[in-house]
Amino acid sequence: MKLHVFQHIEHEGPSQIATWARRKGFEINTTRWFAGETEPALDEIDWLVVMGGFMNIYEHRNHPWLVREKRFLESAIHAGKKVLGICLGAQLIADALGGKVYQNPEKEIGWFPIQWLPSARQILPGLPESSRVLHWHGDTFDLPPGAHLLAESPACRNQAFTWKKQALAFQFHIEVAPDVVAEFSDFDRAELVPARYVQSEAEILAGVYQCGPNMALLQSWLDWLYPGV
């Protein structure tokens, strides 16, 4: 089985997703779009993991590779590949499935709770009512046709969705290990302008203890998506 990662910036790799995939015996390969690398052939992948990044999905002039990435993502979905999206990746999946992506009224940066909806607890009966996860986004998306909303937060209604047990999208960063949180904070420090849903750097770094519980959550979601590859 082959898992392919679309990476948009150096410090936002698959992190704990790769840990899970290695345990399952996946071969892992990566396209680093920011470094000028190109997409694989469709028959070379079973899963596609689309990571986050500071760019918006519609910034084609600044990041012209977005056009190729979107085209490949649509082809992968139509070919029946399993697709997982994180933050920007979730927005790209929503776009590929016909959902609109646009600026959220609030920036959401830091460790804030999401509420898991009944639809999510039907899939994973052991889910808690809420989880505290790392957010780092200014955009959001409308739920695509045929998708099922899994989670919401006060700052952003659409936080996670699934589509035909083929695509799974998280607006938040459920995949990060503690060292990755520190890299986020170091790279994106300029975004930490005080606001209702923007935490300070100290608060973000103090919240890394959430990475352990979130890794268990991530593993449960990936195990659910895994059968039938």
Side-chain angles (χ1 to χ4, degrees), residues 108 110-117 120-121 124 126-135 150-154 159-160 170 172-174 207 209-218 220-221:
E108 194 175 24
W111 298 94
F112 294 103
I114 56 163
Q115 287 70 49
W116 295 108
L117 301 177
R121 289 195 290 276
L124 298 181
L127 270 181
E129 289 191 6
S130 66
S131 299
R132 188 169 290 272
V133 296
L134 181 66
H135 305 263
L150 301 175
E152 63 184 10
S153 77
Q159 286 284 358
F170 296 123
F172 45 88
H173 290 276
I174 195 173
Y209 68 93
Q210 300 288 349
C211 292
N214 287 342
M215 177 54 192
L217 276 175
L218 172 68
S220 295
W221 281 111

Side-chain angles (χ1 to χ4, degrees), residues 154-172:
C156 182
R157 162 67 179 168
N158 294 333
Q159 286 284 358
F161 69 85
T162 186
W163 183 83
K164 296 186 177 180
K165 203 177 178 180
Q166 181 190 338
L168 181 62
F170 296 123
Q171 177 64 83
F172 45 88

